[in-house]
Each structure stands twice: as structure tokens, then as C-alpha cells.
């Protein structure tokens, strides 16, 4: 390998290393994303020999194809291997014609998804992946009376590969554009230029420069990955704090009450002793209030954020609790329950909902100030609120709501299907906005 080629390859490798670490600097909600998977693929297309023949000539384009497989990891990096075969020919008018080159190649590569490198988003439709690798080519080439890589006394030069083929190192460099048809299937176009560490690939060695091969291939890729699906019987339901969809209000409020009752089973006190027959109804109510009383507060969040929005509506709800404490109400426990709308995957949303619950507890403590002293705060995340979404959708006035729900439930990747439906039906944003919140429950 020439010194210039070695320095170029070293530069590419050193450039990839810092980008790798940069690509992994995502927030905590992304670290658990299910981005690692194996895949297999196959592609085919045209190949050009760029040697002493000069300019590319489309009438000299020949066939090539590859079979490969790899492993995607770290949200934007992929390591893969390919085995390829093809034929080449070339011509230089008034000089020579390369009658035929046949070759087999095998190489290892590394690619980077540029879009996910700078801003990670699961389930992108499009991926742009520059790649570089290193491998080996075994070839036979002939022109006129020159035969390279053949066996026999008539051969110009034998090689050490199978069937006497010549062996040369290759360095493929290129760009791939991938279009995801589903979470498991993708189409891609790969444009690659490969440096071949020999001047004999065109069967006309001059020693002035090495030969190159350029390919443009279309391919199909299958990914062995698990799709995120909503639970058949989700535990939690949703309730908006600021509700844009008035038609869904009653349905979502009822869903929240059901979720709160389920989530707070551990907080129910032991049953009070039966009251004496002489005890009147007012005394019974006073006894129940002494053990258990609730006040619902719904605090809102922005998309993908775990920071309580600094709105007047949020502040006013906490102020109601503060005013009641001023009036003498004693509060022993405040439980915060976080929810997330199901645009992201389940792992992300579980972490996000937990962070929202904790952020809400901190927010209330800050707003109450000294009044929060002695109050026990307990935070819990309920994750992706699929049940709340489907229930709110069913109660809404959105056109084709049954078809929307059916498409999402039957999709291999319901999250991706939801995002596609959201683009087609903007009204869904009203439902999703209402699911990004926390429920606050006060136990006395």
C-alpha cells in the first residue's frame, strides 16, 4: 500500500472515532432505546473500471452484486461485511481495450448514520450513511495477449488466489441512502468507489497510478429487530391538564380516575372500626376525612421533556393546595404519577414518565416552600399511555377514528404507525398533548 493511501485510511479511521463518542451523547431517555440489531442484505447494479482507460464510459458498464450482513449499534453506527462478485471492461480509444475482468471481493466496513448522529430519532424513514472499509479482491484480467491471474504457461502472470487469481487489497469508500419501508425491511442505494492496490486490474500496468472500481447498486435489507407494541391491557390511562379536544374531556377524566384508583391501592388505610349505632352521619364523614381525602392536580409538560411548564394554570393548581394548608389542612403524603404520550418507544416513555413524576414532586415542594416540610413525596411513572390514547380516540370526533385505531394496533411498529397517522390527521395532536402530564394525589 502506498504511503498516501495509508495516510488517507488512517485519517478516515481517526475521524470516525470521535464521531462515535459524539453520536452516543444522548439524554437518559434515549440510552435504553432498542437500537441494536443484526441484519442481512443483497444488492446489485453497475460497475465501472477506472484505470488507464481514462474517462468512464457507460457502454463499458458491467454487472456486480453483493451479499452481506452486519450489526447496528450505538444508535448511529453499523459494522458489516460483504462478499461481492462482478465483471469489468474498459477502453481507451487508440490505446487499448480491456477485454474482461472478473473478480470476487470481500471486505469489512463501518458506516455512520449522519441524521441520527446529530439528532437521534427512532424509526426514521430515511438514513444517510457514509462508509469506509478494507478488504481483498481476487481477479483475472485480460487484454490483447496479456493475461493476469490465470494458470498456465501462456499466462502473463499468475497470482496466489484460487485458480491462480491475482490478489490485491481494496479500500471501499462511499455513501448509502436507506429508505425504511417498515421496522424490519429497507431499500437502499449504495454508491461506492473502491481503491485497488494494484495497477494490473485493467491488465495494462504502467506503474503511474493504481486502479479504481466504481459501483452503483440498489439493494434490499432485512433487519432482525423487535418492534415496540402497546400492551394488550395497559395498566394506566390518560388525563389532560390543558385539553384542546373538548369532545374527549369526559372520557379522559374518567380514565384518570380509574388509573389513580389502581395506582393508589397501596395508600389505602386500614378500614376504620364500625361506628357506634349512636354515631350520626356527620361523625362518619369526619372520620373518613381524617384518614383519606384526595385532590387532583394535572401538571403539563412539553413533548419529550420532564420539566413542568411554567404556566399560570400549573401554578394556580399548586396554590390551591397552599391556600388549604394556610386554612389549617394537614397533608401527610403527596403522590405524583407521571405519564407519557406514546410517540416514543416504551423504554423511553417509562423513563420519561418517571422523570416527570419526580420533576412534579420537586415543583410542588418548591412552590409550597416551608409548607412542604414534613410532607412525604412519592413519585411513580406509568410509561406509555396507550390505553388512554385509544380510549380518548374512541370518544373523539376525529374522522375515520376506527380505521386509525385498527391501523395502529395491527402495525408491526405501532409507534411508527402512530407518527404516520399523526402526520395524516393533525387532530391527533390534541389527544397526544393531553397525555403529557402528571397526576397529583394528596393523601391526608
Amino acid at each position: 500500500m502506498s504511503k498516501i493511501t495509508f495516510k488517507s485510511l488512517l485519517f478516515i479511521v481517526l475521524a470516525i472515532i470521535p464521531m462515535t463518542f459524539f453520536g452516543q451523547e444522548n439524554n437518559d431517555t434515549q440510552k435504553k432505546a432498542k437500537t441494536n440489531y443484526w441484519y442481512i442484505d443483497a444488492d446489485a447494479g453497475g460497475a465501472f473500471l477506472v484505470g488507464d482507460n481514462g474517462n468512464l464510459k457507460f457502454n463499458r458498464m458491467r454487472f456486480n452484486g453483493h451479499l452481506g450482513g452486519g450489526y447496528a449499534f450505538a444508535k448511529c453506527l453499523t459494522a458489516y461485511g460483504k462478499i461481492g462478485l462482478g465483471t469489468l471492461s474498459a477502453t481507451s480509444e487508440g490505446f487499448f481495450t480491456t477485454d474482461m475482468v472478473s473478480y470476487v471481493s470481500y471486505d469489512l466496513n463501518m458506516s455512520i448514520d449522519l441524521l441520527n448522529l446529530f439528532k437521534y430519532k427512532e424509526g426514521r424513514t430515511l438514513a444517510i450513511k457514509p462508509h469506509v472499509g478494507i478488504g481483498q479482491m481476487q481477479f483475472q484480467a485480460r487484454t490483447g495477449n496479456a493475461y493476469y491471474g490465470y494458470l498456465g504457461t501462456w499466462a502473463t502472470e499468475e497470482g496466489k488466489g484460487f485458480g491462480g487469481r491475482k490478489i490485491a487489497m481494496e479500500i471501499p469508500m462511499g455513501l448509502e441512502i436507506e429508505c425504511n419501508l417498515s421496522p424490519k425491511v429497507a431499500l437502499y442505494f449504495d454508491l461506492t468507489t473502491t481503491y485497488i492496490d494494484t495497477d494490473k486490474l485493467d491488465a495494462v500496468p504502467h506503474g503511474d497510478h493504481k486502479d479504481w472500481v466504481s459501483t452503483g447498486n440498489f439493494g434490499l435489507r432485512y433487519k432482525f429487530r423487535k418492534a415496540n407494541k402497546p400492551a394488550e391491557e395497559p395498566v394506566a390511562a390518560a388525563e389532560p391538564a390543558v385539553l384542546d379536544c373538548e369532545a374527549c374531556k369526559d372520557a379522559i377524566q374518567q380514565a384518570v380516575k380509574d388509573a389513580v384508583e389502581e395506582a393508589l391501592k397501596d395508600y389505602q388505610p386500614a378500614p376504620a372500626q364500625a361506628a357506634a349505632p349512636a354515631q350520626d352521619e356527620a361523625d362518619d364523614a369526619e372520620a373518613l376525612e381524617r384518614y383519606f381525602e384526595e385532590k387532583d392536580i394535572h401538571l403539563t409538560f412539553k413533548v419529550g421533556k420532564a420539566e413542568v411548564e411554567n404556566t399560570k394554570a400549573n401554578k394556580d393548581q399548586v396554590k390551591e393546595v397552599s391556600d388549604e394548608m394556610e386554612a389549617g389542612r394537614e397533608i401527610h403524603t403527596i403522590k405524583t404519577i407521571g405519564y407519557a404520550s406514546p410517540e416514543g418507544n416504551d423504554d423511553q416513555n417509562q423513563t420519561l414518565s418517571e422523570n416527570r413524576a419526580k420533576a412534579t414532586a420537586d415543583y410542588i415542594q418548591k412552590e409550597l416552600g416551608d409548607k412542604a416540610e414534613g410532607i412525604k413525596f412519592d413519585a411513580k411513572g406509568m410509561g406509555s399511555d396507550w390505553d388512554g390514547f385509544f380510549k380518548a380516540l374512541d370518544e373523539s370526533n376525529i374522522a375515520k377514528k376506527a380505521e386509525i385505531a385498527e391501523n395502529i394496533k395491527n402495525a408491526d411498529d405501532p409507534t411508527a404507525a402512530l407518527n404516520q397517522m399523526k402526520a395524516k390527521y393533525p387532530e391527533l395532536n390534541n389527544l397526544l398533548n393531553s397525555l403529557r402530564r402528571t397526576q397529583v394525589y394528596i393523601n391526608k
Side-chain angles (χ1 to χ4, degrees):
M1 185 190 305
S2 67
K3 292 183 178 179
I4 295 177
T5 304
F6 177 77
K7 289 180 179 179
S8 300
L9 182 60
L10 181 61
F11 174 78
I12 294 171
V13 173
L14 292 177
I16 288 176
I17 293 174
M19 293 174 74
T20 300
F21 289 107
F22 176 76
Q24 298 184 68
E25 289 179 359
N26 296 288
N27 60 41
D28 290 340
T29 63
Q30 295 172 347
K31 288 181 179 179
K32 295 182 179 179
K34 299 175 181 177
T35 56
N36 296 6
Y37 58 86
W38 292 92
Y39 71 85
I40 56 174
D41 58 23
D43 61 50
F48 298 91
L49 172 60
V50 186
D52 297 298
N53 57 305
N55 297 329
L56 295 175
K57 296 182 182 299
F58 284 96
N59 65 327
R60 289 293 179 176
M61 181 175 67
R62 293 293 182 264
F63 168 83
N64 84 104
H66 296 90
L67 292 176
Y71 185 69
F73 61 98
K75 304 179 182 65
C76 64
L77 294 178
T78 301
Y80 63 94
K82 283 197 171 185
I83 300 176
L85 58 86
T87 59
L88 301 165
S89 65
T91 184
S92 180
E93 294 181 7
F95 182 37
F96 77 94
T97 297
T98 300
D99 296 324
M100 182 59 70
V101 178
S102 64
Y103 68 86
V104 176
S105 65
Y106 29 92
D107 48 60
L108 296 175
N109 301 266
M110 178 73 75
S111 70
I112 302 175
D113 186 338
L114 291 181
L115 299 181
N116 276 346
L117 172 67
F118 295 105
K119 185 176 181 181
Y120 175 77
K121 179 182 178 181
E122 187 177 5
R124 286 186 187 274
T125 301
L126 187 68
I128 300 175
K129 302 178 180 180
H131 58 82
V132 63
I134 189 169
Q136 187 180 86
M137 174 182 285
Q138 296 194 19
F139 66 91
Q140 292 177 323
R142 69 175 187 267
T143 179
N145 58 357
Y147 294 82
Y148 290 87
Y150 291 88
L151 291 175
T153 56
W154 50 271
T156 303
E157 187 175 308
E158 295 182 7
K160 296 181 180 180
F162 61 92
R165 285 171 172 79
K166 295 288 292 180
I167 298 177
M169 184 197 71
E170 64 177 18
I171 301 176
M173 298 166 283
L175 182 70
E176 179 188 292
I177 299 176
E178 180 186 69
C179 179
N180 291 296
L181 304 180
S182 74
K184 294 186 177 182
V185 180
L187 289 174
Y188 65 90
F189 174 71
D190 183 82
L191 186 62
T192 297
T193 295
T194 303
Y195 167 86
I196 313 297
D197 192 28
T198 181
D199 189 28
K200 299 174 182 178
L201 186 62
D202 57 8
V204 184
H206 281 177
D208 296 332
H209 56 75
K210 302 298 176 68
D211 296 325
W212 297 74
V213 174
S214 294
T215 59
N217 290 6
F218 288 93
L220 186 66
R221 178 167 294 141
Y222 182 82
K223 306 174 182 180
F224 299 93
R225 65 188 306 180
K226 295 181 180 179
N228 293 317
K229 295 185 178 181
E232 294 181 1
E233 298 182 358
V235 200
E239 153 72 16
V242 179
L243 198 57
D244 295 328
C245 181
E246 291 295 332
C248 309
K249 185 175 180 180
D250 294 340
I252 298 178
Q253 285 180 341
Q254 182 59 47
V256 166
K257 290 181 179 179
D258 295 341
V260 168
E261 291 176 2
E262 179 67 22
L264 294 173
K265 285 181 178 179
D266 296 339
Y267 288 84
Q268 302 292 342
Q273 295 294 326
Q279 190 176 22
D280 58 23
E281 188 174 344
D283 290 336
D284 288 336
E286 182 180 352
L288 289 173
E289 184 178 2
R290 183 161 57 251
Y291 288 103
F292 187 87
E293 181 180 348
E294 65 175 304
K295 183 176 182 65
D296 294 341
I297 302 175
H298 313 293
L299 304 185
T300 57
F301 298 81
K302 292 182 179 179
V303 181
K305 302 293 182 182
E307 180 180 350
V308 179
E309 288 186 302
N310 190 25
T311 63
K312 185 176 184 299
N314 285 342
K315 288 180 176 290
D316 287 348
Q317 292 181 88
V318 178
K319 187 175 184 300
E320 290 181 12
V321 179
S322 179
D323 291 343
E324 291 185 12
M325 295 177 70
E326 289 281 358
R329 176 179 179 179
E330 294 183 4
I331 295 175
H332 298 157
T333 303
I334 294 180
K335 183 176 180 66
T336 58
I337 306 173
Y339 298 87
S341 59
E343 292 114 311
N345 69 38
D346 292 339
D347 289 339
Q348 288 177 318
N349 280 345
Q350 182 59 41
T351 302
L352 181 59
S353 66
E354 291 171 0
N355 290 340
R356 283 176 173 173
K358 293 173 185 175
T360 300
D362 294 340
Y363 179 82
I364 294 175
Q365 284 183 289
K366 180 180 177 181
E367 291 297 312
L368 291 181
D370 294 339
K371 300 185 190 71
E373 185 176 352
I375 296 177
K376 177 185 176 182
F377 287 85
D378 191 3
K380 181 178 182 180
M382 305 300 287
S384 301
D385 201 354
W386 281 106
D387 191 40
F389 170 76
F390 285 121
K391 189 167 186 177
L393 177 62
D394 183 59
E395 297 294 331
S396 72
N397 293 325
I398 296 177
K400 298 184 178 180
K401 58 187 179 182
E403 179 181 336
I404 294 173
E406 190 70 16
N407 286 338
I408 295 175
K409 290 179 179 179
N410 293 333
D412 289 336
D413 186 346
T415 299
L418 170 59
N419 288 321
Q420 292 175 358
M421 290 293 105
K422 185 176 67 172
K424 187 175 181 180
Y425 301 95
E427 311 95 298
L428 291 176
N429 286 307
N430 293 332
L431 301 183
L432 296 171
N433 289 339
S434 69
L435 304 180
R436 306 179 189 110
R437 89 287 179 225
T438 51
Q439 168 76 26
V440 180
Y441 189 90
I442 297 174
N443 190 337
K444 185 174 179 180

